[in-house]
């Protein structure tokens, strides 16, 4: 999870992991996105912001191929959404991690099983599952609470479990839809710090938020959507002091071992 | 390829619905079992009627009684003509003496009565054997209509009413079995589909997360298909079990009734498993999309 992806430093063209080209997304009667274009390169840290109903979740949904563009093209890791064989979507999803505002954990399973679930479902050997779950839970600082049920955790801890679950299959992209929406500012900062660490290790992180404070403090590249249109796309390089954000000793995990290849 | 951890998970999940809703599942199996029992009884009746019909048909027996006073040659000439009729496989001549002998045999103790007769009142006859394909009412009637026109023939007799009735009843039972089968089929699919829907609703969160982390639809479906198949299997076994118990209890009063052969029992239960699979499949249709409501 935190080891650097070698592909992160190729020429720009190859490094592009996500591309939107004049994308429209129309739900039955509602236009959610209109003529949205942007590209994301490998290893980028992207913040999508805008008012409620602007289309932030819709952008993430398109990347996950949970929705398909009505017009235009979406390309994810070289796969064209319009030509995507729907049976191949599960494979693509294994390369994408998801985090939500409401955590979406399984209430009847403990922390360990919640994270292990993501590996079980894609068919990892059980002894490897244990190793991988231990790795990510240590990295989010929750290995010692692995036997707790979600309701026995704070909101921030639950979100960290969700992040561990999203990262356990070693995805190339992490999508986080309002990951701090249900958290107090301090805990929110902690979660953003964790996202920074994940990004430092080479994973492309895209998160949405409508919190101006978070955008101002942590936004490096910020895309603003309003009424389904992309109104600005700015890079603010050097604006954020990542080191200052990632201070919490909780995440000082042991150096990650060799990562298991998650899928064939 | 499934790993053992995955397999273990799928097995556990397949029984989860049973475990969580014992009553619903129990009632489902009971309802299905009894409707399948009705189907099984009807199938068994049809089977037995068909057997009876088959037996009756092999015994189909056409007798051609000849005019009195035919010459030997006229009589002998009839034989090749009868054999040449399509559907007739053989012909046996029965002289008045043989007929009388046969008749006295059927009278048993009362055979003495025949001694009171002066002379033999029975006419000579030909006994026609039919090919297997010809053993049905239509062909028998066609043969009768043809032969009845011959001058040498006095009368043609066969067990028309008995076969007629049997054929009608077999047909009715087949029709009833098919209709009941269809109703049971739809009802069973519906009932199973509903319990599987309950399980799916209870598992909506799990399904959503499975989709999220990249589980294939096949993987997501498996436990639900297994649940439906298991319900079908149990209901089918229940129906067969009840039928067997009924068979034992009514043993004395049902002389000659043929029960299902082991292969037929397996086939019936296999059919029930199929019902279960179809039921859970129809329950899952809306979950088969890729959407995970991110
Ligand atoms: N399944 C759907 N069917 C119909 N319309 C939808 C659906 N999902 C979203 N929309 C509409 O599409 C538009 C964009 O929705 P989206 O969820 O992308 O907004 P958002 O920026 O994520 O908002 P929020 O900040 O409230 O989460 C909204 O007008 C919404 O009502
Ligand atoms: Mg949203």
């Amino acid at each position: 999870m935190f080891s650097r992806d070698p592909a992160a430093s190729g020429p720009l063209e190859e490094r592009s992991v996500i591309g939107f080209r004049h994308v429209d997304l129309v739900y039955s009667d509602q236009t959610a996105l209109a003529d949205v274009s942007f590209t994301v390169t490998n290893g980028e840290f992207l913040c999508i912001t805008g008012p409620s109903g602007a289309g932030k979740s819709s952008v993430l949904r398109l990347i996950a191929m949970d929705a398909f563009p009505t017009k235009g093209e979406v390309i994810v890791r070289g796969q064209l959404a319009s030509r995507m064989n729907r049976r191949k979507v599960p494979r693509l999803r294994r390369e994408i991690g998801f985090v939500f505002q409401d955590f979406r954990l399984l209430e009847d399973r403990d922390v360990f099983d919640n994270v292990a679930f993501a590996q079980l479902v894609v068919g990892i050997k059980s002894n490897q599952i244990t190793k991988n779950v231990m790795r990510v839970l240590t990295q989010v600082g929750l290995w010692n609470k692995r036997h707790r049920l979600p309701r026995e955790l704070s909101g921030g801890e639950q979100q960290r479990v969700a992040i561990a679950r999203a990262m356990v299959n070693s995805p190339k992209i992490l999508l986080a839809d309002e990951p701090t929406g249900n958290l107090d500012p301090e805990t929110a900062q902690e979660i953003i710090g964790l996202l920074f660490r994940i990004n430092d290790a080479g994973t492309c992180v895209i998160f949405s938020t409508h919190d101006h404070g978070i955008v101002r403090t942590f936004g490096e590249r910020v895309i603003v959507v309003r009424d389904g249109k992309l109104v600005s796309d700015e890079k603010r390089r050097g604006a954020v002091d990542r080191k200052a954000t990632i201070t919490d000793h909780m995440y000082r995990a042991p150096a990650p071992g060799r990562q298991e290849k998650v899928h064939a | 390829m499934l790993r053992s951890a995955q397999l273990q998970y799928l097995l556990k999940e397949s029984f989860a619905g049973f475990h969580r809703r014992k009553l619903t599942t129990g009632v489902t199996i009971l309802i299905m079992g009894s409707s399948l029992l009705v189907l099984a009884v009807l199938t068994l009746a049809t089977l037995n009627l068909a057997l009876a019909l088959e037996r009756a048909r092999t015994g189909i027996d056409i007798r051609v009684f000849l005019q009195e006073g035919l010459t030997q040659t006229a009589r002998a000439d009839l034989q090749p003509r009868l054999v040449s009729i399509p559907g007739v496989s053989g012909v046996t001549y029965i002289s008045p003496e043989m007929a009388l002998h046969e008749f006295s045999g059927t009278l048993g103790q009362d055979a003495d009565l025949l001694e009171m007769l002066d002379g033999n009142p029975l006419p000579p006859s030909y006994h026609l054997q039919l090919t297997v394909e010809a053993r049905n009412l239509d062909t028998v009637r066609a043969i009768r209509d043809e032969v009845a026109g011959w001058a040498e023939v006095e009368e043609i007799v066969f067990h028309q009413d008995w076969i007629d009735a049997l054929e009608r009843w077999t047909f009715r039972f087949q029709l009833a079995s098919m209709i009941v089968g269809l109703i049971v089929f739809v009802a069973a699919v519906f009932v199973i589909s509903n319990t599987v829907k309950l399980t799916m609703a209870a598992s909506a969160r799990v399904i959503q997360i499975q989709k999220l982390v990249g589980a294939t639809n096949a993987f997501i479906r498996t436990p639900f298909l297994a649940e439906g198949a298991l319900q079908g299997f149990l209901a089918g076994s229940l129906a067969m079990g009840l039928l067997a118990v009924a068979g034992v209890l009514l043993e004395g009063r049902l002389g000659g009734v043929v029960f299902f052969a082991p292969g037929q029992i397996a086939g019936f239960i296999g059919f029930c498993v199929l019902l279960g699979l179809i039921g859970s499949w129809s329950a899952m249709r809306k979950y088969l999309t890729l959407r995970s409501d991110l």
Side-chain angles (χ1 to χ4, degrees), chain A residues 15-146:
Chain A
R15 280 164 49 204
S16 153
V17 279
I18 294 163
F20 275 51
R21 235 182 269 145
H22 306 294
V23 171
D24 284 9
L25 176 62
V26 182
Y27 295 109
S28 46
D29 55 341
Q30 177 88 33
T31 301
L33 293 175
D35 197 24
V36 170
S37 302
F38 65 90
T39 57
V40 182
T41 52
N42 228 336
E44 239 183 312
F45 190 85
L46 174 65
C47 169
I48 300 176
T49 188
S52 178
K56 304 182 290 295
S57 299
S58 299
V59 169
L60 299 182
R61 230 173 264 145
L62 285 166
I63 297 171
M65 297 204 184
D66 202 43
F68 291 86
T70 315
K71 244 172 74 187
E73 276 303 345
V74 172
I75 302 161
V76 181
R77 293 185 58 77
Q79 310 264 20
L80 207 57
S82 61
R83 296 225 204 96
M84 185 79 175
N85 178 347
R86 303 287 143 113
R87 319 193 80 208
K88 288 194 176 142
V89 170
R91 293 242 163 248
L92 180 84
R93 294 232 176 114
R94 292 172 194 190
E95 302 183 359
I96 303 176
F98 300 90
V99 177
F100 300 92
Q101 178 171 359
D102 58 356
F103 320 134
R104 303 207 184 169
L105 300 174
L106 295 169
E107 298 300 327
D108 59 345
R109 283 162 226 233
D110 66 17
V111 168
F112 184 96
D113 284 347
N114 261 286
V115 178
F117 187 76
Q119 293 241 289
L120 186 70
V121 157
V122 301
I124 310 291
K125 283 194 212 139
S126 39
N127 59 344
Q128 273 186 19
I129 292 181
T130 310
K131 267 196 279 177
N132 293 340
V133 173
M134 186 161 112
R135 172 171 55 82
V136 286
L137 278 181
T138 311
Q139 285 162 353
V140 301
L142 285 174
W143 176 246
N144 56 342
K145 294 187 176 170
R146 63 188 175 280

